[in-house]
Amino acid sequence: FCLVFNCSDQIDCIMMEKLFRGVIQQGAWTCLDEFNRIDIEVLSVVAQQLLEMRLALLKYGNNAEFFFCGAKCVLKDTCGVFITMNPGYAGRTELPENLKALFRPISMMIPDYGLIAQILLFSEGFKESKSLAMKMTRLYKLASEQLSQQKHYDFGMRAVKSVLEMAGRLKREQPDAPETDLLIKALKDSNIPKFIKADAPLFNALVVDLFPNVIFKEDNNDQLIAQISAVMAEKNLQPSESFVTKTTQLFETLNVRFGTMIVGTAMTGKTTVLCSLIDALNNLKTDAVNKNPLLNGVSCVRINPKSVTMGELYGEENQITKDWQDGIASYYMRTATTDESPGSPWICFDGPVDALWIENMNSVLDDSRLLCLANGQRIRLKADMRVLIEVDSLEQASPATVSRCGMVYI
């Protein structure tokens, strides 16, 4: 059993003591993600707790009883503690020397994208996986070198993985379609929405160079486009082609990614795009339950993450009574996980992104979909749910955050 926990600066040594006590008695592993976000004062106590665990493992055998932080525990010698950390961002601390000495460091290198892409395509049922993987990784390498450098661009492993998963879904829906066409569609649907105006033609030219003689047919979302136009007419807005395109691109991105960022300066229409899509999807809702949760109705809650403290956003413990009080985001996420009705609950964070509040969402936005609270609770979010972030720029966001989200640039 391996318990993954996303650390934050709200964590105290009492919570860590409880976690370690459980790990010791279960004989489990724990992976403490973003470990160096914990405050330095807490880390120095954590170093002492880990030293107690280590000395007990050296001194006593399996199933031995010993005192850990003043409480009797039964030691299982299979227990282990692993940490992951990214150095050098805002809100990160340098590990104390006595803590560093307890861990064996492993430095992660850039993986072989071509081999990983080939294996993933093969597992999704593609017969031409070798040549397609080679072309796809070459396209991403050229795009990262030749397109403009924007904060919201990411051509890393997570971006590759999301494209391949989308290609696999298309392959299952259309098993007889040409494999090259399916991969090009996945590449375009995943990447075109995030490009600024000057980069989109460049990317299309790279696709044509790498996949010559392939005639790509645009997908027709006629029903959705008609609904978007109707919704805009109701709101006395002009359904311009670029606006409708961005709205359909947002829908395509939400189909692929759990977390999506709508990026653009003020007054570009980010909120209008989002509200138009929600109304259009609710108009398309039928009585029958659809395979795609987005077509079963959408409900959206909006939060400004910078208008409240971290405790009010994610929850905090009362210092006197030690009672846990849920925050706004944790309350809505907890409610969404217990809601059994069909449809897709969305949470939209409408405000500036900085490394302090968004890094608490790292494990929410990756494959594990876990919200880790400062009292040790872990809320696993449903796959039907979506997390959206409306933001004007990603100057303060770390690469770890950017890689976890789908991007729509407006």
Side-chain angles (χ1 to χ4, degrees):
F1 181 69
C2 183
L3 180 128
V4 178
F5 197 86
N6 191 27
C7 301
S8 72
D9 52 2
Q10 290 177 289
I11 285 174
D12 59 14
C13 44
I14 297 165
M15 186 246 130
M16 294 302 287
E17 184 189 316
K18 280 197 288 188
L19 188 144
F20 289 145
R21 194 176 295 148
V23 166
I24 288 166
Q25 297 184 109
Q26 173 72 27
W29 287 2
T30 181
C31 175
L32 303 173
D33 208 6
E34 314 291 350
F35 187 63
N36 57 338
R37 292 190 65 229
I38 300 173
D39 287 336
I40 191 76
E41 296 89 344
V42 178
L43 285 178
S44 60
V45 180
V46 169
Q48 193 57 41
Q49 292 169 347
L50 285 165
L51 186 62
E52 274 190 45
M53 282 175 67
R54 177 169 158 69
L55 291 173
L57 283 165
L58 292 171
K59 192 174 179 183
Y60 309 112
N62 193 25
N63 294 323
E65 286 189 350
F66 81 109
F67 281 91
F68 177 72
C69 299
K72 190 180 279 187
C73 291
V74 176
L75 177 68
K76 295 278 178 71
D77 61 2
T78 53
C79 63
V81 179
F82 300 81
I83 61 173
T84 70
M85 48 190 272
N86 294 308
Y89 301 155
R92 309 286 174 133
T93 47
E94 185 69 26
L95 295 191
E97 291 299 323
N98 62 336
L99 187 53
K100 269 187 196 173
L102 297 172
F103 289 97
R104 178 187 295 168
I106 300 171
S107 179
M108 304 298 284
M109 301 296 178
I110 295 170
D112 186 340
Y113 282 36
L115 189 60
I116 291 170
Q118 186 184 328
I119 293 163
L120 285 171
L121 280 171
F122 200 73
S123 67
E124 296 285 8
F126 281 75
K127 293 185 180 72
E128 302 164 32
S129 59
K130 192 166 186 177
S131 63
L132 291 176
M134 194 169 68
K135 287 183 177 183
M136 183 195 166
T137 48
R138 174 66 59 190
L139 174 68
Y140 267 47
K141 188 173 186 294
L142 290 169
S144 62
E145 289 168 356
Q146 296 187 18
L147 303 189
S148 64
Q149 299 297 310
Q150 303 289 329
K151 280 279 183 185
H152 64 275
Y153 285 5
D154 172 60
F155 299 103
M157 195 65 245
R158 280 197 182 93
V160 169
K161 194 164 178 283
S162 67
V163 169
L164 297 176
E165 282 176 359
M166 187 182 185
R169 199 177 73 238
L170 292 169
K171 177 75 175 169
R172 285 188 290 278
E173 287 170 8
Q174 307 165 43
D176 300 325
E179 293 183 347
T180 308
D181 290 9
L182 296 178
L183 184 62
I184 292 174
K185 177 173 166 46
L187 283 164
K188 288 200 166 191
D189 286 353
S190 298
N191 289 292
I192 294 291
K194 71 183 174 194
F195 291 139
I196 60 171
K197 199 173 183 180
D199 283 339
L202 258 172
F203 183 81
N204 284 327
L206 287 172
V207 172
V208 171
D209 287 348
L210 282 164
F211 298 93
N213 308 323
V214 176
I215 300 161
F216 179 69
K217 297 184 286 295
E218 289 292 335
D219 223 22
N220 52 345
N221 278 335
D222 293 340
Q223 268 190 310
L224 182 62
I225 289 167
Q227 282 297 342
I228 292 164
S229 302
V231 164
M232 293 184 73
E234 282 173 28
K235 295 180 178 180
N236 295 321
L237 299 169
Q238 292 180 357
S240 67
E241 189 184 342
S242 61
F243 186 93
V244 174
T245 303
K246 279 292 164 194
T247 313
T248 53
Q249 284 178 352
L250 176 59
F251 174 70
E252 294 292 348
T253 308
L254 285 162
N255 275 324
V256 185
R257 305 296 281 262
F258 183 78
T260 301
M261 287 193 180
I262 308 172
V263 186
T265 52
M267 304 302 291
T268 49
K270 300 190 295 292
T271 304
T272 312
V273 163
L274 180 57
C275 293
S276 301
L277 179 62
I278 290 168
D279 291 344
L281 290 173
N282 284 332
N283 290 350
L284 282 170
K285 182 188 172 186
T286 58
D287 293 333
V289 176
N290 200 297
K291 274 184 184 177
N292 187 341
L294 303 184
L295 298 175
N296 291 327
V298 170
S299 60
C300 186
V301 174
R302 300 179 81 82
I303 303 167
N304 182 352
K306 296 301 286 179
S307 66
V308 291
T309 63
M310 292 288 278
E312 289 167 333
L313 187 63
Y314 292 113
E316 60 189 339
E317 206 172 57
N318 187 309
Q319 291 301 312
I320 300 163
T321 62
K322 298 296 177 188
D323 287 336
W324 175 257
Q325 178 68 46
D326 254 347
I328 301 165
S330 55
Y331 168 78
Y332 281 116
M333 287 185 186
R334 202 188 292 276
T335 307
T337 54
T338 54
D339 185 10
E340 294 299 322
S341 59
S344 181
W346 295 3
I347 293 183
C348 179
F349 292 91
D350 188 351
V353 165
D354 64 32
L356 299 176
W357 76 265
I358 193 76
E359 294 278 325
N360 283 17
M361 302 262 288
N362 273 0
S363 56
V364 171
L365 296 170
D366 65 20
D367 293 342
S368 55
R369 299 195 308 275
L370 274 174
L371 177 67
C372 299
L373 304 177
N375 65 342
Q377 287 183 8
R378 302 186 312 154
I379 302 170
R380 187 177 292 280
L381 306 180
K382 293 196 297 186
D384 297 351
M385 195 178 158
R386 294 291 180 272
V387 175
L388 293 108
I389 297 153
E390 264 189 60
V391 65
D392 66 337
S393 80
L394 293 172
E395 289 296 317
Q396 301 301 315
S398 68
T401 299
V402 174
S403 70
R404 282 173 160 85
C405 294
M407 296 287 167
V408 178
Y409 182 78
I410 300 182

